[in-house]
Amino acid sequence: GGPGRPPGSPPPAELTTRTRPVVPMSATTTMTCPTSTVARARPVPARLAQAAARGPVAARRVSTVARADASGETRNSESGIFMRQITEAEREEEVKYLAGMLKLWLDDEWSIQEPHAALGLQAAEKCVAMRLDGCEEMGSLVMGIAQDLLSFDFSDTFVNSFEVANKTSEILMMREGYEVCCLSKEDETRQARYEEMVANGQTP
């Protein structure tokens, strides 16, 4: 027994009470979109959770282009940035554009590397699939793409899954009429260069 405690008396409460460890809620996440669930709960690396907390790349809307339906009702609001709805007929063209723009960005930044084409294609296919599934909110698109790219082998690249997902959102917003902050000169001219390459029959 401890000093000052009568024999046979119960030990102090602080010696018998145990505290359960607190499990961080950021260990898992469930990606949801306005109209559907696009991914089930799965582990998220700490660096992605931290980056996600900062949200997608900052942008300011220049013209209203994201629409909820044929009536022209917009879906942009204080709750998020929404891309326009796309149809199955647009799948091939949307994938081609995003994949080409992502590859061109990767080549601009780090010179031509063999994995760039496959990396851009995987990100583009995931993004377009999510949009066709009803996901139009930019934050959800970024996290869905980043999670999907966790399966990609980045060992021969100089980027990670979230950087590619964030660049995908930037490309989308620029195409949809948003002014995106903090762009380089290459970023500002990339769309025109891509379109010129396509017009000349070149593959980015």
Short mmCIF file of all heavy atoms in Angstrom, two decimals, residues 71-123:
data_model
loop_
_atom_site.label_atom_id
_atom_site.label_comp_id
_atom_site.label_asym_id
_atom_site.label_seq_id
_atom_site.Cartn_x
_atom_site.Cartn_y
_atom_site.Cartn_z
N SER A 71 -31.85 22.57 -68.71
CA SER A 71 -32.52 23.85 -68.48
C SER A 71 -31.52 24.98 -68.27
O SER A 71 -31.88 26.14 -68.34
CB SER A 71 -33.43 23.75 -67.25
OG SER A 71 -32.66 23.61 -66.07
N GLY A 72 -30.27 24.64 -67.99
CA GLY A 72 -29.25 25.66 -67.79
C GLY A 72 -29.06 26.06 -66.34
O GLY A 72 -28.31 26.98 -66.05
N GLU A 73 -29.71 25.39 -65.41
CA GLU A 73 -29.54 25.72 -64.00
C GLU A 73 -28.12 25.37 -63.56
O GLU A 73 -27.65 24.27 -63.76
CB GLU A 73 -30.54 24.92 -63.15
CG GLU A 73 -30.40 25.19 -61.64
CD GLU A 73 -31.29 24.28 -60.83
OE1 GLU A 73 -32.05 23.51 -61.44
OE2 GLU A 73 -31.21 24.34 -59.59
N THR A 74 -27.43 26.33 -62.97
CA THR A 74 -26.06 26.08 -62.56
C THR A 74 -26.01 25.31 -61.24
O THR A 74 -26.92 25.40 -60.43
CB THR A 74 -25.29 27.40 -62.39
OG1 THR A 74 -25.90 28.14 -61.34
CG2 THR A 74 -25.30 28.21 -63.67
N ARG A 75 -24.90 24.58 -61.05
CA ARG A 75 -24.72 23.83 -59.82
C ARG A 75 -23.52 24.32 -59.03
O ARG A 75 -23.18 23.76 -58.01
CB ARG A 75 -24.59 22.34 -60.12
CG ARG A 75 -25.85 21.71 -60.64
CD ARG A 75 -25.74 20.21 -60.67
NE ARG A 75 -25.45 19.67 -59.35
CZ ARG A 75 -25.23 18.38 -59.13
NH1 ARG A 75 -25.25 17.53 -60.12
NH2 ARG A 75 -24.96 17.96 -57.92
N ASN A 76 -22.84 25.35 -59.50
CA ASN A 76 -21.76 25.91 -58.72
C ASN A 76 -22.35 26.66 -57.53
O ASN A 76 -23.35 27.33 -57.64
CB ASN A 76 -20.93 26.88 -59.57
CG ASN A 76 -20.16 26.15 -60.65
OD1 ASN A 76 -19.51 25.16 -60.38
ND2 ASN A 76 -20.26 26.62 -61.88
N SER A 77 -21.72 26.51 -56.37
CA SER A 77 -22.23 27.16 -55.18
C SER A 77 -21.08 27.28 -54.19
O SER A 77 -19.96 26.87 -54.46
CB SER A 77 -23.36 26.32 -54.56
OG SER A 77 -22.85 25.11 -54.05
N GLU A 78 -21.41 27.84 -53.02
CA GLU A 78 -20.41 27.96 -51.97
C GLU A 78 -19.95 26.60 -51.46
O GLU A 78 -18.93 26.48 -50.83
CB GLU A 78 -20.98 28.79 -50.81
CG GLU A 78 -21.28 30.24 -51.17
CD GLU A 78 -20.04 31.01 -51.60
OE1 GLU A 78 -18.96 30.75 -51.04
OE2 GLU A 78 -20.14 31.84 -52.52
N SER A 79 -20.73 25.55 -51.72
CA SER A 79 -20.40 24.23 -51.21
C SER A 79 -19.37 23.50 -52.07
O SER A 79 -18.90 22.44 -51.69
CB SER A 79 -21.66 23.37 -51.10
OG SER A 79 -22.24 23.18 -52.38
N GLY A 80 -19.04 24.04 -53.23
CA GLY A 80 -18.04 23.36 -54.06
C GLY A 80 -18.06 23.83 -55.50
O GLY A 80 -18.90 24.63 -55.90
N ILE A 81 -17.09 23.34 -56.25
CA ILE A 81 -17.00 23.62 -57.68
C ILE A 81 -17.50 22.40 -58.43
O ILE A 81 -17.02 21.29 -58.22
CB ILE A 81 -15.54 23.92 -58.08
CG1 ILE A 81 -15.03 25.15 -57.33
CG2 ILE A 81 -15.41 24.13 -59.58
CD1 ILE A 81 -13.56 25.42 -57.54
N PHE A 82 -18.46 22.59 -59.31
CA PHE A 82 -19.07 21.49 -60.03
C PHE A 82 -18.74 21.58 -61.53
O PHE A 82 -18.89 22.63 -62.13
CB PHE A 82 -20.59 21.48 -59.85
CG PHE A 82 -21.02 21.09 -58.46
CD1 PHE A 82 -20.99 22.01 -57.44
CD2 PHE A 82 -21.45 19.80 -58.19
CE1 PHE A 82 -21.38 21.67 -56.15
CE2 PHE A 82 -21.85 19.45 -56.92
CZ PHE A 82 -21.82 20.38 -55.89
N MET A 83 -18.31 20.47 -62.09
CA MET A 83 -18.09 20.39 -63.52
C MET A 83 -19.42 20.15 -64.23
O MET A 83 -20.40 19.72 -63.62
CB MET A 83 -17.13 19.26 -63.86
CG MET A 83 -15.71 19.45 -63.32
SD MET A 83 -14.83 20.87 -64.05
CE MET A 83 -15.14 22.17 -62.85
N ARG A 84 -19.46 20.41 -65.53
CA ARG A 84 -20.69 20.16 -66.27
C ARG A 84 -20.90 18.65 -66.41
O ARG A 84 -19.97 17.86 -66.32
CB ARG A 84 -20.60 20.78 -67.67
CG ARG A 84 -19.59 20.12 -68.59
CD ARG A 84 -19.61 20.72 -69.99
NE ARG A 84 -18.64 20.05 -70.85
CZ ARG A 84 -18.88 18.95 -71.53
NH1 ARG A 84 -20.07 18.36 -71.46
NH2 ARG A 84 -17.95 18.39 -72.30
N GLN A 85 -22.13 18.26 -66.62
CA GLN A 85 -22.44 16.86 -66.85
C GLN A 85 -21.98 16.46 -68.25
O GLN A 85 -22.08 17.24 -69.19
CB GLN A 85 -23.94 16.62 -66.71
CG GLN A 85 -24.44 16.77 -65.28
CD GLN A 85 -25.93 16.51 -65.18
OE1 GLN A 85 -26.69 16.80 -66.10
NE2 GLN A 85 -26.36 15.96 -64.06
N ILE A 86 -21.46 15.26 -68.37
CA ILE A 86 -21.06 14.75 -69.68
C ILE A 86 -21.87 13.49 -69.99
O ILE A 86 -22.47 12.88 -69.10
CB ILE A 86 -19.56 14.43 -69.74
CG1 ILE A 86 -19.17 13.37 -68.70
CG2 ILE A 86 -18.74 15.70 -69.56
CD1 ILE A 86 -17.71 12.94 -68.81
N THR A 87 -21.86 13.09 -71.25
CA THR A 87 -22.63 11.93 -71.68
C THR A 87 -21.67 10.83 -72.15
O THR A 87 -20.48 11.07 -72.38
CB THR A 87 -23.56 12.29 -72.85
OG1 THR A 87 -22.77 12.67 -73.98
CG2 THR A 87 -24.47 13.46 -72.45
N GLU A 88 -22.21 9.64 -72.30
CA GLU A 88 -21.41 8.50 -72.75
C GLU A 88 -20.79 8.78 -74.12
O GLU A 88 -19.68 8.33 -74.41
CB GLU A 88 -22.28 7.25 -72.80
CG GLU A 88 -21.53 5.97 -73.19
CD GLU A 88 -20.47 5.59 -72.18
OE1 GLU A 88 -20.70 5.74 -70.96
OE2 GLU A 88 -19.39 5.12 -72.62
N ALA A 89 -21.49 9.54 -74.95
CA ALA A 89 -20.98 9.85 -76.29
C ALA A 89 -19.70 10.68 -76.23
O ALA A 89 -18.93 10.71 -77.18
CB ALA A 89 -22.04 10.58 -77.09
N GLU A 90 -19.48 11.36 -75.09
CA GLU A 90 -18.28 12.20 -74.94
C GLU A 90 -17.11 11.47 -74.31
O GLU A 90 -16.02 12.04 -74.20
CB GLU A 90 -18.63 13.42 -74.08
CG GLU A 90 -19.67 14.35 -74.66
CD GLU A 90 -20.02 15.46 -73.69
OE1 GLU A 90 -19.35 16.52 -73.73
OE2 GLU A 90 -20.95 15.26 -72.89
N ARG A 91 -17.31 10.23 -73.88
CA ARG A 91 -16.28 9.51 -73.12
C ARG A 91 -14.93 9.50 -73.84
O ARG A 91 -13.90 9.90 -73.28
CB ARG A 91 -16.71 8.07 -72.84
CG ARG A 91 -15.65 7.28 -72.05
CD ARG A 91 -15.96 5.78 -72.03
NE ARG A 91 -17.13 5.47 -71.25
CZ ARG A 91 -17.09 5.15 -69.94
NH1 ARG A 91 -15.93 5.10 -69.31
NH2 ARG A 91 -18.22 4.86 -69.31
N GLU A 92 -14.91 9.03 -75.08
CA GLU A 92 -13.65 8.87 -75.79
C GLU A 92 -12.91 10.19 -75.95
O GLU A 92 -11.69 10.28 -75.71
CB GLU A 92 -13.90 8.24 -77.17
CG GLU A 92 -12.61 7.97 -77.95
CD GLU A 92 -12.89 7.28 -79.29
OE1 GLU A 92 -14.05 6.87 -79.53
OE2 GLU A 92 -11.94 7.15 -80.08
N GLU A 93 -13.64 11.24 -76.33
CA GLU A 93 -13.00 12.54 -76.54
C GLU A 93 -12.49 13.14 -75.23
O GLU A 93 -11.40 13.72 -75.17
CB GLU A 93 -13.99 13.51 -77.19
CG GLU A 93 -13.42 14.90 -77.46
CD GLU A 93 -12.19 14.88 -78.36
OE1 GLU A 93 -12.09 13.99 -79.24
OE2 GLU A 93 -11.31 15.76 -78.17
N GLU A 94 -13.27 12.98 -74.14
CA GLU A 94 -12.86 13.50 -72.84
C GLU A 94 -11.61 12.79 -72.34
O GLU A 94 -10.68 13.42 -71.82
CB GLU A 94 -13.99 13.35 -71.82
CG GLU A 94 -15.15 14.30 -72.04
CD GLU A 94 -14.77 15.75 -71.77
OE1 GLU A 94 -14.08 16.03 -70.76
OE2 GLU A 94 -15.17 16.61 -72.57
N VAL A 95 -11.57 11.46 -72.48
CA VAL A 95 -10.39 10.70 -72.05
C VAL A 95 -9.17 11.11 -72.87
O VAL A 95 -8.08 11.33 -72.33
CB VAL A 95 -10.64 9.18 -72.18
CG1 VAL A 95 -9.34 8.40 -72.00
CG2 VAL A 95 -11.66 8.71 -71.15
N LYS A 96 -9.35 11.22 -74.17
CA LYS A 96 -8.24 11.59 -75.06
C LYS A 96 -7.68 12.95 -74.69
O LYS A 96 -6.46 13.13 -74.62
CB LYS A 96 -8.73 11.59 -76.51
CG LYS A 96 -7.65 11.98 -77.52
CD LYS A 96 -8.21 11.98 -78.94
CE LYS A 96 -7.16 12.44 -79.95
NZ LYS A 96 -7.70 12.47 -81.33
N TYR A 97 -8.56 13.91 -74.44
CA TYR A 97 -8.12 15.27 -74.12
C TYR A 97 -7.36 15.30 -72.79
O TYR A 97 -6.25 15.84 -72.70
CB TYR A 97 -9.31 16.21 -74.06
CG TYR A 97 -8.94 17.62 -73.65
CD1 TYR A 97 -8.42 18.51 -74.58
CD2 TYR A 97 -9.08 18.05 -72.33
CE1 TYR A 97 -8.06 19.81 -74.21
CE2 TYR A 97 -8.72 19.34 -71.95
CZ TYR A 97 -8.21 20.21 -72.89
OH TYR A 97 -7.84 21.47 -72.51
N LEU A 98 -7.95 14.74 -71.74
CA LEU A 98 -7.32 14.76 -70.43
C LEU A 98 -5.99 14.01 -70.43
O LEU A 98 -4.99 14.47 -69.88
CB LEU A 98 -8.25 14.16 -69.38
CG LEU A 98 -9.29 15.08 -68.74
CD1 LEU A 98 -10.15 14.29 -67.76
CD2 LEU A 98 -8.61 16.25 -68.05
N ALA A 99 -5.98 12.83 -71.04
CA ALA A 99 -4.75 12.03 -71.09
C ALA A 99 -3.65 12.78 -71.83
O ALA A 99 -2.49 12.79 -71.41
CB ALA A 99 -5.03 10.68 -71.74
N GLY A 100 -4.01 13.40 -72.97
CA GLY A 100 -3.03 14.14 -73.75
C GLY A 100 -2.49 15.35 -73.01
O GLY A 100 -1.29 15.62 -73.04
N MET A 101 -3.38 16.09 -72.34
CA MET A 101 -2.96 17.28 -71.59
C MET A 101 -2.08 16.90 -70.40
O MET A 101 -1.10 17.60 -70.08
CB MET A 101 -4.18 18.06 -71.14
CG MET A 101 -4.88 18.84 -72.24
SD MET A 101 -3.93 20.31 -72.73
CE MET A 101 -4.23 21.38 -71.32
N LEU A 102 -2.42 15.82 -69.72
CA LEU A 102 -1.61 15.37 -68.58
C LEU A 102 -0.23 14.92 -69.04
O LEU A 102 0.78 15.24 -68.40
CB LEU A 102 -2.33 14.25 -67.83
CG LEU A 102 -3.52 14.68 -66.98
CD1 LEU A 102 -4.33 13.48 -66.53
CD2 LEU A 102 -3.05 15.49 -65.76
N LYS A 103 -0.16 14.18 -70.14
CA LYS A 103 1.14 13.75 -70.65
C LYS A 103 1.97 14.95 -71.06
O LYS A 103 3.18 15.01 -70.78
CB LYS A 103 0.98 12.80 -71.83
CG LYS A 103 2.32 12.31 -72.39
CD LYS A 103 2.16 11.43 -73.60
CE LYS A 103 3.52 10.91 -74.07
NZ LYS A 103 4.45 12.00 -74.46
N LEU A 104 1.35 15.93 -71.71
CA LEU A 104 2.07 17.12 -72.13
C LEU A 104 2.61 17.88 -70.92
O LEU A 104 3.74 18.39 -70.94
CB LEU A 104 1.15 18.02 -72.96
CG LEU A 104 1.79 19.17 -73.73
CD1 LEU A 104 2.91 18.68 -74.64
CD2 LEU A 104 0.72 19.92 -74.54
N TRP A 105 1.81 17.98 -69.85
CA TRP A 105 2.26 18.62 -68.62
C TRP A 105 3.46 17.87 -68.03
O TRP A 105 4.48 18.48 -67.69
CB TRP A 105 1.12 18.65 -67.60
CG TRP A 105 1.58 18.86 -66.18
CD1 TRP A 105 2.22 19.97 -65.68
CD2 TRP A 105 1.46 17.95 -65.09
NE1 TRP A 105 2.49 19.79 -64.34
CE2 TRP A 105 2.03 18.56 -63.95
CE3 TRP A 105 0.89 16.67 -64.96
CZ2 TRP A 105 2.07 17.93 -62.70
CZ3 TRP A 105 0.92 16.05 -63.73
CH2 TRP A 105 1.51 16.68 -62.60
N LEU A 106 3.36 16.55 -67.93
CA LEU A 106 4.46 15.75 -67.38
C LEU A 106 5.73 15.91 -68.21
O LEU A 106 6.84 16.06 -67.67
CB LEU A 106 4.04 14.28 -67.30
CG LEU A 106 2.95 13.95 -66.27
CD1 LEU A 106 2.34 12.58 -66.56
CD2 LEU A 106 3.53 13.99 -64.85
N ASP A 107 5.58 15.89 -69.54
CA ASP A 107 6.74 16.05 -70.42
C ASP A 107 7.34 17.45 -70.31
O ASP A 107 8.56 17.63 -70.36
CB ASP A 107 6.34 15.77 -71.87
CG ASP A 107 6.02 14.30 -72.13
OD1 ASP A 107 6.34 13.46 -71.27
OD2 ASP A 107 5.44 14.01 -73.19
N ASP A 108 6.48 18.47 -70.16
CA ASP A 108 6.96 19.84 -69.99
C ASP A 108 7.80 19.98 -68.73
O ASP A 108 8.84 20.64 -68.73
CB ASP A 108 5.77 20.82 -69.90
CG ASP A 108 5.14 21.13 -71.24
OD1 ASP A 108 5.76 20.82 -72.28
OD2 ASP A 108 4.02 21.70 -71.25
N GLU A 109 7.33 19.39 -67.66
CA GLU A 109 7.96 19.57 -66.36
C GLU A 109 9.19 18.71 -66.14
O GLU A 109 10.15 19.14 -65.51
CB GLU A 109 6.93 19.29 -65.24
CG GLU A 109 5.76 20.26 -65.22
CD GLU A 109 6.18 21.66 -64.81
OE1 GLU A 109 7.12 21.80 -63.99
OE2 GLU A 109 5.58 22.63 -65.32
N TRP A 110 9.15 17.47 -66.64
CA TRP A 110 10.22 16.52 -66.31
C TRP A 110 10.82 15.83 -67.53
O TRP A 110 11.43 14.77 -67.40
CB TRP A 110 9.72 15.48 -65.31
CG TRP A 110 9.42 16.10 -63.99
CD1 TRP A 110 10.31 16.40 -62.99
CD2 TRP A 110 8.15 16.53 -63.50
NE1 TRP A 110 9.67 16.98 -61.94
CE2 TRP A 110 8.34 17.07 -62.22
CE3 TRP A 110 6.85 16.51 -64.03
CZ2 TRP A 110 7.30 17.59 -61.46
CZ3 TRP A 110 5.82 17.02 -63.27
CH2 TRP A 110 6.04 17.55 -62.01
N SER A 111 10.63 16.39 -68.70
CA SER A 111 11.09 15.80 -69.97
C SER A 111 10.31 14.51 -70.25
O SER A 111 9.63 13.98 -69.37
CB SER A 111 12.60 15.55 -69.98
OG SER A 111 12.95 14.42 -69.22
N ILE A 112 10.44 14.02 -71.44
CA ILE A 112 9.66 12.85 -71.85
C ILE A 112 10.14 11.61 -71.09
O ILE A 112 11.32 11.27 -71.11
CB ILE A 112 9.79 12.62 -73.36
CG1 ILE A 112 9.20 13.83 -74.12
CG2 ILE A 112 9.08 11.34 -73.78
CD1 ILE A 112 9.38 13.75 -75.62
N GLN A 113 9.20 10.96 -70.42
CA GLN A 113 9.47 9.73 -69.67
C GLN A 113 8.47 8.67 -70.11
O GLN A 113 7.30 8.98 -70.38
CB GLN A 113 9.34 9.96 -68.16
CG GLN A 113 10.23 11.06 -67.60
CD GLN A 113 11.69 10.69 -67.56
OE1 GLN A 113 12.03 9.52 -67.48
NE2 GLN A 113 12.56 11.69 -67.64
N GLU A 114 8.90 7.44 -70.17
CA GLU A 114 8.05 6.36 -70.68
C GLU A 114 6.72 6.23 -69.94
O GLU A 114 5.68 6.02 -70.57
CB GLU A 114 8.81 5.03 -70.64
CG GLU A 114 8.03 3.88 -71.25
CD GLU A 114 8.84 2.58 -71.27
OE1 GLU A 114 10.05 2.64 -71.02
OE2 GLU A 114 8.24 1.52 -71.53
N PRO A 115 6.67 6.34 -68.60
CA PRO A 115 5.39 6.12 -67.90
C PRO A 115 4.36 7.24 -68.07
O PRO A 115 3.21 7.07 -67.67
CB PRO A 115 5.81 6.01 -66.42
CG PRO A 115 7.28 5.83 -66.42
CD PRO A 115 7.77 6.54 -67.64
N HIS A 116 4.75 8.38 -68.62
CA HIS A 116 3.85 9.53 -68.65
C HIS A 116 2.54 9.26 -69.39
O HIS A 116 1.47 9.69 -68.95
CB HIS A 116 4.56 10.73 -69.28
CG HIS A 116 5.61 11.33 -68.41
ND1 HIS A 116 6.45 12.36 -68.82
CD2 HIS A 116 5.98 11.04 -67.12
CE1 HIS A 116 7.27 12.68 -67.83
NE2 HIS A 116 7.01 11.90 -66.79
N ALA A 117 2.62 8.57 -70.52
CA ALA A 117 1.40 8.31 -71.29
C ALA A 117 0.43 7.43 -70.51
O ALA A 117 -0.77 7.71 -70.45
CB ALA A 117 1.76 7.66 -72.63
N ALA A 118 0.95 6.36 -69.90
CA ALA A 118 0.09 5.45 -69.13
C ALA A 118 -0.47 6.13 -67.90
O ALA A 118 -1.63 5.91 -67.53
CB ALA A 118 0.88 4.20 -68.73
N LEU A 119 0.32 6.98 -67.26
CA LEU A 119 -0.14 7.70 -66.07
C LEU A 119 -1.26 8.67 -66.42
O LEU A 119 -2.29 8.72 -65.75
CB LEU A 119 1.04 8.46 -65.45
CG LEU A 119 0.75 9.34 -64.23
CD1 LEU A 119 0.04 8.56 -63.14
CD2 LEU A 119 2.06 9.93 -63.72
N GLY A 120 -1.07 9.43 -67.49
CA GLY A 120 -2.11 10.36 -67.92
C GLY A 120 -3.39 9.64 -68.31
O GLY A 120 -4.49 10.10 -67.99
N LEU A 121 -3.25 8.50 -68.97
CA LEU A 121 -4.42 7.74 -69.40
C LEU A 121 -5.20 7.19 -68.21
O LEU A 121 -6.43 7.26 -68.19
CB LEU A 121 -4.00 6.60 -70.33
CG LEU A 121 -5.13 5.72 -70.87
CD1 LEU A 121 -6.11 6.54 -71.69
CD2 LEU A 121 -4.56 4.58 -71.71
N GLN A 122 -4.51 6.65 -67.21
CA GLN A 122 -5.22 6.10 -66.06
C GLN A 122 -5.98 7.19 -65.31
O GLN A 122 -7.13 6.99 -64.91
CB GLN A 122 -4.24 5.40 -65.10
CG GLN A 122 -4.94 4.76 -63.90
CD GLN A 122 -4.03 3.88 -63.07
OE1 GLN A 122 -3.07 3.29 -63.60
NE2 GLN A 122 -4.29 3.76 -61.78
N ALA A 123 -5.34 8.34 -65.12
CA ALA A 123 -6.02 9.44 -64.43
C ALA A 123 -7.23 9.92 -65.22
O ALA A 123 -8.30 10.19 -64.66
CB ALA A 123 -5.04 10.60 -64.20
#
